[in-house]
Amino acid sequence: MDYDHLQISIYSDDASRKKRCSEKMEEMKNTQFSSTQDAASPLLHKELVGEKNVVIFELYDAVEKGDVDNFVDVLGKELAKRKVPLSDIFDQVTGAGDSLLHVAAYFGSEEIAELICCHFPELLIKRNVRGDTALHVAVSSKNLTTVKLILSQYAIEKSKHDCLKDKEITREKNKYENTPLHEAVYSGDVGVVKKILKADKDVVHCLNKSSRSPLFLSVMSPNVKILNLLLQIPFPADQPLPQCFGNSPLHAAILERNPGLIRKILGKREELIYLRDEEGGTPFHYAAYTGYVKGFRILLQNSSEKSNQSLLERNKKGNFPIHLACKRGHVEVVEEFLLHELPTNPYDLLNRKGQNILHIAAKNGKTKVVQHLLRNQKIDQRAINHRDNDGNTPLHLASINLFPRVLYFIAQDERINVNITNNDDLTARDIIDLEFDTQKTVRKFLANMVLVKARVPLKLNRMLHFQRQQSPKRNLHLKDPNTFLVAAALIVTVTFTAFLTVPGGVYSSDDPNPENRGMAVLAHKTLFWFFCIYNTISMLSSTAACALMLVAQTFDSELTHKATFFATACLFISFSFLPSVFLGAVTLVLVTNYSLKLVLVFITLVGTLFLTFCLYGFYLLTFHPIQGPVLWILIALLNYVNKPEDSSYQKAIKDKDKFV
């Protein structure tokens, strides 16, 4: 037998010992047992890892200690004891599915690993329950000499065994689809990384289950030397700039918000700025989407000509990087983009729907971006009134998605043309009018008031008018009438109790004056009269609200609508008188404690003013158009940032063909 390959020994130069151990292994392999004994063996081979017998403890212990002579002796004793073929013993695995070669790789027992590789090379590609080969285990354990040994033995044994011919040990993947190089990058061992790259440099571009390559992961490694090593590996000749997320360390550096690494990567591999992810996103798309303005600025400063080319590229959805910044509301990135000298006007950057950057910001409710764009000189009248493929201007899109603040700022711009209609012959106000047909909400009301203030006309298309006549209307209703009833009943209870325990108390039954017995002590005070009157009004109003809500839950929908409206008004009246009741009681009982009385009076007045504002707002929302400062205050307080879920206009567009 040729033992020349045994000269790869790592820790020992004792060739005779290696030869002796190898001869013993060969002798044990050739040991024959009777068929009866073989059939009765409890170690019969099974295909599934979970069904195999667990590796013998004595062998595991011998591998852990790393003494190859002791390992061979223990192996011989177990073979004689169990009387099974040697291959059956090496088929045994631990509870984690590790073979004896996995165990040797984990503990760094190089001589034992070398012996196993020579006599059972098929274990080189055997996997544990995680799908790891022995090379994965050696790499994760940072056992460099074991890694060298396994790679060398594989190169020797590959041509001799059919089971290895179609395999590349450096490309074998575990259940997470990590190659050994992935695990080496995770471990942060530069020496192990170098050894694997020497055996197979192109593995640097292999993707794991998360679509990450070792090159991508190297950005997140604590050892910068690994990144420097992997950046030196060129892309395959047939794939010079692969459009693959896992291959772009520049994307990873942007996600990590690491300006130093961004500069380092661009300094070594400037062409990486052209790499795209699986969605066609360039590094500019990543910086714009995440709002990483510093990284965006570094990319712009990299190279004017190359940056412009990458900056003005769409992703698979047809969006430029600036579109993503507007969509996410990253004002600083938008500002940086507009300050950059571009060969084209930002207004001309349209997505596949024909929408410019103001369209994107308006339909996503990004008020700060809208304000910034309206102030920018590069955004002219054409951009503000530009119609997309559906004929919608930014004002239309803000109406469709019901963003009152965005509508307010766009409608106040003197360059806006409020008469523009979309492909359905609708103005922005027509769209809000359609929305009112499903349900009247404060959000829709504010949006409509903004457009009324801006004098946006109504030009409702007859076909869509017919459609909205067919759509069912939803009457005013309370989401939880029981809560309303509880609130009203609580006020009734409190105000009724206030009469029984009036401020100042009552004369006792033992009072010398029979006429005073049981009467209020402070009944002669003028404030006591106000206390009683306001308390009575509050109690009767809340009682009426309770009665009306009972009616609303009992009779038909038309009566329910009216009863709910009047019950709400009664409850507001009750609320409005409660502060006066409290203030009167405080003044009566604290007439001598001026400091405390002053503080309580001040707090009560502030609360009353706030309640008055709420009541006034309710009145305006219900009975009267609102404009000016009041409208802006309400818009600012009710800052809607998310798109509504029930846009009737969108549904009307989809169903339009049914009525043609």
Side-chain angles (χ1 to χ4, degrees):
M1 183 176 180
D2 185 6
Y3 294 104
D4 292 340
H5 60 276
L6 296 177
Q7 301 303 318
I8 308 169
S9 179
I10 306 299
Y11 292 113
S12 174
D13 294 327
D14 189 0
S16 60
R17 186 173 66 169
K18 290 194 301 180
K19 183 176 181 179
R20 181 177 66 254
C21 291
S22 181
E23 288 175 346
K24 287 183 179 180
M25 283 283 288
E26 194 66 31
E27 182 181 344
M28 286 186 286
K29 284 172 66 177
N30 295 328
T31 302
Q32 299 293 326
F33 299 95
S34 66
S35 57
T36 304
Q37 290 174 322
D38 192 29
S41 171
L43 298 175
L44 293 177
H45 174 74
K46 299 208 182 256
E47 193 61 31
L48 296 177
V49 168
E51 295 181 0
K52 293 180 181 178
N53 289 323
V54 177
V55 68
I56 302 167
F57 172 76
E58 288 78 8
L59 285 174
Y60 185 97
D61 186 58
V63 173
E64 182 179 356
K65 292 177 179 177
D67 187 335
V68 65
D69 283 321
N70 179 54
F71 172 73
V72 173
D73 290 341
V74 173
L75 191 60
K77 292 177 182 178
E78 291 298 327
L79 189 66
K81 176 182 176 181
R82 298 176 182 268
K83 300 186 181 302
V84 294
L86 187 62
S87 58
D88 282 3
I89 292 180
F90 278 93
D91 274 340
Q92 295 174 356
V93 294
T94 66
D98 291 323
S99 67
L100 289 174
L101 183 57
H102 284 91
V103 178
Y106 177 78
F107 289 111
S109 304
E110 289 82 14
E111 290 182 315
I112 296 176
E114 182 180 3
L115 187 66
I116 295 173
C117 288
C118 290
H119 293 274
F120 293 95
E122 64 273 12
L123 294 181
L124 285 166
I125 56 172
K126 184 72 72 176
R127 301 173 182 277
N128 61 17
V129 294
R130 292 181 67 254
D132 290 330
T133 63
L135 183 58
H136 283 94
V137 174
V139 166
S140 299
S141 303
K142 302 183 183 181
N143 292 322
L144 178 58
T145 51
T146 310
V147 171
K148 292 179 181 179
L149 170 69
I150 291 175
L151 290 172
S152 300
Q153 287 298 123
Y154 182 81
I156 294 171
E157 302 293 340
K158 181 179 180 180
S159 59
K160 300 178 182 179
H161 301 275
D162 293 337
C163 63
L164 304 180
K165 286 183 179 179
D166 298 329
K167 304 283 186 179
E168 287 294 339
I169 196 169
T170 54
R171 302 290 180 96
E172 291 295 297
K173 296 183 177 182
N174 59 21
K175 65 178 296 185
Y176 306 108
E177 297 186 18
N178 286 329
T179 65
L181 185 57
H182 282 93
E183 299 293 342
V185 173
Y186 282 129
S187 71
D189 192 302
V190 180
V192 173
V193 171
K194 286 182 178 179
K195 194 62 185 175
I196 295 177
L197 288 178
K198 186 177 180 180
D200 183 5
K201 63 181 181 180
D202 290 337
V203 74
V204 71
H205 302 301
C206 288
L207 305 182
N208 63 11
K209 203 170 187 177
S210 301
S211 297
R212 302 290 199 268
S213 69
L215 179 59
F216 182 96
L217 296 175
S218 64
V219 173
M220 291 167 275
S221 172
N223 197 329
V224 183
K225 293 181 180 179
I226 293 178
L227 174 62
N228 294 332
L229 278 173
L230 301 191
L231 282 175
Q232 296 173 13
I233 307 300
F235 289 105
D238 59 340
Q239 199 178 12
L241 283 177
Q243 295 185 5
C244 188
F245 178 55
N247 279 342
S248 177
L250 197 53
H251 287 83
I254 291 171
L255 290 177
E256 290 292 304
R257 293 178 175 260
N258 192 323
L261 282 181
I262 295 174
R263 293 189 181 95
K264 180 185 289 290
I265 293 170
L266 290 174
K268 290 180 176 291
R269 300 287 297 276
E270 189 178 4
E271 72 275 13
L272 292 180
I273 200 170
Y274 298 115
L275 280 181
R276 295 171 175 265
D277 65 12
E278 294 173 336
E279 298 299 325
T282 65
F284 280 108
H285 284 92
Y286 270 56
Y289 184 83
T290 58
Y292 184 34
V293 64
K294 189 171 184 179
F296 194 85
R297 191 178 296 120
I298 294 172
L299 295 175
L300 287 175
Q301 295 169 350
N302 173 56
S303 172
S304 178
E305 181 179 350
K306 293 182 178 180
S307 292
N308 287 340
Q309 180 180 344
S310 182
L311 184 62
L312 301 178
E313 290 182 349
R314 292 186 175 94
N315 60 15
K316 288 185 178 180
K317 292 184 178 180
N319 291 316
F320 292 96
I322 186 63
H323 287 145
L324 298 184
C326 291
K327 180 179 180 179
R328 301 284 292 180
H330 300 309
V331 182
E332 292 183 347
V333 175
V334 174
E335 183 179 7
E336 194 70 30
F337 180 90
L338 295 176
L339 289 174
H340 188 67
E341 293 298 329
L342 295 171
T344 183
N345 192 306
Y347 157 71
D348 297 322
L349 300 177
L350 307 178
N351 62 13
R352 290 177 182 172
K353 295 181 179 179
Q355 297 169 346
N356 61 32
I357 53 181
L358 188 57
H359 281 94
I360 303 296
K363 78 175 184 179
N364 289 284
K366 304 306 177 184
T367 308
K368 292 183 179 179
V369 176
V370 169
Q371 289 179 275
H372 183 79
L373 293 177
L374 291 175
R375 290 194 297 262
N376 194 278
Q377 296 180 352
K378 294 182 180 180
I379 308 300
D380 54 18
Q381 186 172 1
R382 289 187 311 149
I384 295 174
N385 296 302
H386 178 79
R387 302 171 75 224
D388 64 11
N389 296 344
D390 295 322
N392 292 317
T393 65
L395 191 67
H396 282 87
L397 293 180
S399 296
I400 292 171
N401 295 287
L402 294 173
F403 289 116
R405 293 191 73 183
V406 174
L407 284 170
Y408 184 88
F409 287 110
I410 297 179
Q412 295 303 309
D413 197 288
E414 296 178 354
R415 297 167 293 178
I416 189 73
N417 183 353
V418 297
N419 296 307
I420 295 178
T421 58
N422 62 12
N423 293 350
D424 293 309
D425 199 27
L426 296 174
T427 64
R429 190 176 164 197
D430 288 330
I431 294 171
I432 301 295
D433 196 49
L434 279 172
E435 293 292 339
F436 268 129
D437 283 347
T438 56
Q439 185 181 17
K440 291 178 174 64
T441 64
V442 174
R443 182 172 184 171
K444 295 174 185 178
F445 182 84
L446 292 176
N448 185 59
M449 286 298 100
V450 170
L451 298 181
V452 169
K453 184 177 184 296
R455 298 182 180 179
V456 179
L458 283 171
K459 299 179 180 179
L460 195 59
N461 176 279
R462 289 183 180 180
M463 178 58 64
L464 287 176
H465 178 71
F466 174 73
Q467 282 182 258
R468 69 174 188 159
Q469 294 295 328
Q470 304 298 317
S471 62
K473 294 185 178 181
R474 288 184 284 177
N475 291 323
L476 174 67
H477 67 284
L478 294 172
K479 292 183 177 179
D480 191 356
N482 292 326
T483 303
F484 187 100
L485 270 173
V486 170
L490 186 60
I491 296 176
V492 173
T493 304
V494 170
T495 51
F496 181 80
T497 305
F499 278 119
L500 300 180
T501 56
V502 293
V506 296
Y507 288 104
S508 68
S509 58
D510 299 332
D511 192 86
N513 188 350
E515 295 182 0
N516 289 339
R517 294 172 185 173
M519 303 301 292
V521 175
L522 302 177
H524 62 283
K525 299 279 188 180
T526 305
L527 281 176
F528 187 83
W529 285 67
F530 284 102
F531 165 80
C532 292
I533 292 171
Y534 288 167
N535 194 61
T536 302
I537 294 173
S538 181
M539 186 188 73
L540 293 177
S541 298
S542 55
T543 303
C546 289
L548 288 167
M549 283 309 302
L550 290 174
V551 171
Q553 296 186 62
T554 306
F555 296 97
D556 57 69
S557 59
E558 186 64 28
L559 185 57
T560 296
H561 176 77
K562 293 179 180 178
T564 302
F565 175 81
F566 284 112
T568 305
C570 288
L571 193 59
F572 271 115
I573 292 173
S574 181
F575 274 131
S576 64
F577 279 92
L578 281 177
S580 299
V581 174
F582 175 76
L583 184 59
V586 167
T587 307
L588 283 169
V589 300
L590 296 177
V591 66
T592 58
N593 194 335
Y594 294 103
S595 300
L596 179 58
K597 182 170 68 174
L598 186 62
V599 172
L600 292 176
V601 168
F602 174 76
I603 295 173
T604 304
L605 288 175
V606 171
T608 303
L609 289 174
F610 176 76
L611 182 59
T612 303
F613 175 79
C614 293
L615 291 171
Y616 181 60
F618 173 76
Y619 164 75
L620 293 176
L621 289 172
T622 309
F623 301 105
H624 195 276
I626 53 177
Q627 295 182 2
V630 176
L631 177 61
W632 169 241
I633 290 173
L634 288 174
I635 290 174
L637 289 175
L638 304 173
N639 184 23
Y640 298 100
V641 295
N642 297 319
K643 295 181 180 180
E645 297 179 357
D646 56 341
S647 176
S648 61
Y649 175 70
Q650 294 288 3
K651 297 176 183 178
I653 295 301
K654 293 179 181 179
D655 297 336
K656 183 173 64 174
D657 295 339
K658 297 180 181 179
F659 298 91
V660 177

